Amino acid sequence: MTDLLLRDARLWGREGRTDLLVQDGKINALGDTLDAPGAQVEDLDGAVVIPGLVDAHAHVDKTLWGGPWVPRTAGPGLAAAIAYGAERRAEFGIPNADFITALLTDMVASGTTHARSHVDIDPGIGIGAVHAVREGVERLAGRIDVELVAFPQTGILASPGTAALLDEALEAGVKSIGGIDPEGFDGDAERHLDLVFALAEKHGAEIDIHLHDGGDLGVREFDMIIERTRALGYTGKVVISHAFALCDADDATRARLIAALAELKIGLTSVAPKKILPLRELDEAGVVMGIGNDGVRDLWSPYGTGDNLQRTQWFARNAGFSKDADIELALEAATFGGARLLKIDGYGLGVGDTADLVAVHGRNPSEAVLEHHKRKLVVKNGRVVARDGLLV
Ligand SMILES: [Zn+2]
């Protein structure tokens, strides 16, 4: 592999400007005016350099990206959205490897080097979405790593036959198992969670549960997840996505839940909705949070572009962040936070770390997040994979 010399970077966390030398897929040296005969040289012209963005909560199997514009006509509420998605997907050939490839292409071009994608598993499509996403990822030929979560979008109890299909997906190598509103949607939190944890244990899988349920119900479900995580020794292997109940809880309850999340290393993900997780409080308690794009241009929502830097700006804005330190904390969630949840080895900006890097115009990371210009350069495993917003 040809060496890569990145000149004149504003490296996140380092004063002034620096050159980076990349050899054999890793950051080999940092310093002023490095010399590397024979290396491919890229002049970054003072661009901010951050590690590869980690989309910690995606649904690339659902996307219509690159396909038709479909005006959304679903009724209000979660159950209506789930039914609408399941009813109309066949009409547009969802999951569709071409749409998935189009979305992954734009994710790479905007600097995402790793993603965790939930894939729908249900009796209507079986585990077909697993194959469709894998095909899309293969077409990107090493430009992005995508790990999968077997996701019971239409419920496990509410959709008979799904438990066996989740089992099949995990057997086929899917890394994690999902869940969805165990009581609020699936009607029996005990049974739903027992099934999810039992399947996880059987396959040595990790867990990432969608929890939209808010209020006291959501708090009870938090407690049930915490209880099972502790009892089964699942420390560091559970993530709760959305986690709105944490926003609803009173101060004492929230503090109690956050302490338990920290103790059991239960992570959280946010897709930057209006009801926003208390990132500063989580960070101070040692709870890891990642940021993701959720569904992009699908039957659920017309929003999103796959750009996790744009999503980070949404998070910062919805959280009411205006100080640089807070905006950078959101950027940490979209990079290092997601990397910790996905357990990515060698992730970072130090010598010896994997060269997964993004260069973006800005005088500092906050400006880069708020303006999120087209990415000047994206490097994956030491190889340039995108330049000026286009795949290379
Ligand atoms: Zn989701």
Side-chain angles (χ1 to χ4, degrees):
M1 183 186 281
T2 311
D3 295 349
L4 179 63
L5 180 59
L6 306 180
R7 288 218 181 278
D8 195 19
R10 286 184 163 101
L11 191 67
W12 190 15
R14 185 181 167 107
E15 285 296 314
R17 299 190 184 193
T18 186
D19 292 352
L20 288 90
L21 178 62
V22 173
Q23 286 181 326
D24 298 324
K26 294 188 186 308
I27 301 171
N28 184 273
L30 304 172
D32 296 336
T33 56
L34 293 176
D35 196 27
Q40 175 185 345
V41 179
E42 299 281 349
D43 187 356
L44 299 184
D45 197 21
V48 171
V49 170
I50 61 174
L53 294 159
V54 180
D55 190 320
H57 189 107
H59 288 268
V60 301
D61 61 319
K62 292 180 188 289
T63 194
L64 282 157
W65 200 248
W69 179 270
V70 180
R72 189 169 184 275
T73 54
L78 183 72
I82 291 171
Y84 179 79
E87 277 161 19
R88 295 203 70 193
R89 65 188 171 193
E91 206 179 311
F92 306 105
I94 299 168
N96 179 311
D98 291 338
F99 302 162
I100 293 167
T101 303
L103 177 56
L104 290 174
T105 296
D106 283 347
M107 288 167 70
V108 170
S110 57
T112 292
T113 54
H114 299 80
R116 171 180 279 186
S117 188
H118 297 252
V119 289
D120 288 5
I121 304 290
D122 63 63
I125 49 169
I127 68 164
V130 172
H131 303 308
V133 174
R134 283 180 173 165
E135 187 181 337
V137 174
E138 257 176 45
R139 289 189 201 170
L140 269 294
R143 293 178 177 87
I144 185 169
D145 291 318
V146 182
E147 61 161 72
L148 305 183
V149 183
F151 176 48
Q153 172 72 86
T154 54
I156 303 176
L157 309 171
S159 184
T162 298
L165 291 166
L166 294 170
D167 196 17
E168 188 184 333
L170 295 171
E171 193 66 44
V174 169
K175 183 181 172 188
S176 302
I177 180 167
I180 181 165
D181 294 330
E183 187 78 38
F185 181 73
D186 220 19
D188 187 335
E190 293 275 350
R191 282 182 62 207
H192 181 104
L193 290 173
D194 285 347
L195 270 166
V196 168
F197 275 83
L199 279 170
E201 272 201 300
K202 178 181 171 187
H203 294 278
E206 302 205 358
I207 296 171
D208 190 336
I209 298 177
H210 279 65
L211 196 58
H212 313 88
D213 282 339
D216 292 343
L217 171 61
V219 169
R220 278 204 304 283
E221 291 172 320
F222 255 90
D223 278 325
M224 292 168 75
I225 293 169
I226 287 165
E227 181 191 320
R228 282 161 177 74
T229 303
R230 184 179 281 123
L232 299 174
Y234 248 58
T235 297
K237 295 180 181 174
V238 178
V239 168
I240 301 176
S241 287
H242 307 308
F244 296 139
L246 210 55
C247 311
D248 298 336
D250 60 63
D251 291 350
T253 305
R254 190 175 66 252
R256 177 177 69 73
L257 292 177
I258 287 176
L261 297 178
E263 178 209 333
L264 297 167
K265 296 185 169 51
I266 296 174
L268 302 174
T269 70
S270 174
V271 300
K274 283 185 180 163
K275 195 188 263 191
I276 205 89
L277 288 173
L279 177 56
R280 178 61 67 187
E281 194 179 343
L282 293 168
D283 182 66
E284 284 166 1
V287 177
V288 179
M289 192 197 86
I291 290 177
N293 273 286
D294 207 10
V296 171
R297 181 75 59 79
D298 55 26
L299 293 170
W300 282 66
S301 167
Y303 285 94
T305 60
D307 180 355
N308 215 27
L309 206 55
Q310 176 194 54
R311 188 67 59 155
T312 303
Q313 191 249 34
W314 292 4
F315 185 95
R317 185 186 56 192
N318 287 347
F321 287 172
S322 56
K323 294 177 180 162
D324 284 5
D326 287 336
I327 296 165
E328 285 197 45
L329 186 64
L331 182 59
E332 280 182 39
T335 52
F336 291 94
R340 287 173 68 186
L341 295 183
L342 272 60
K343 301 186 171 73
I344 301 168
D345 286 337
Y347 183 90
L349 293 173
V351 170
D353 288 333
T354 305
D356 290 340
L357 304 165
V358 187
V360 54
H361 175 77
R363 288 166 292 182
N364 53 61
S366 295
E367 189 173 47
V369 169
L370 298 190
E371 296 185 0
H372 51 274
H373 289 275
K374 270 185 190 168
R375 305 312 104 89
K376 193 173 178 64
L377 202 73
V378 181
V379 175
K380 170 73 174 168
N381 283 325
R383 170 167 72 119
V384 173
V385 294
R387 180 182 280 109
D388 298 323
L390 294 171
L391 213 64
V392 171

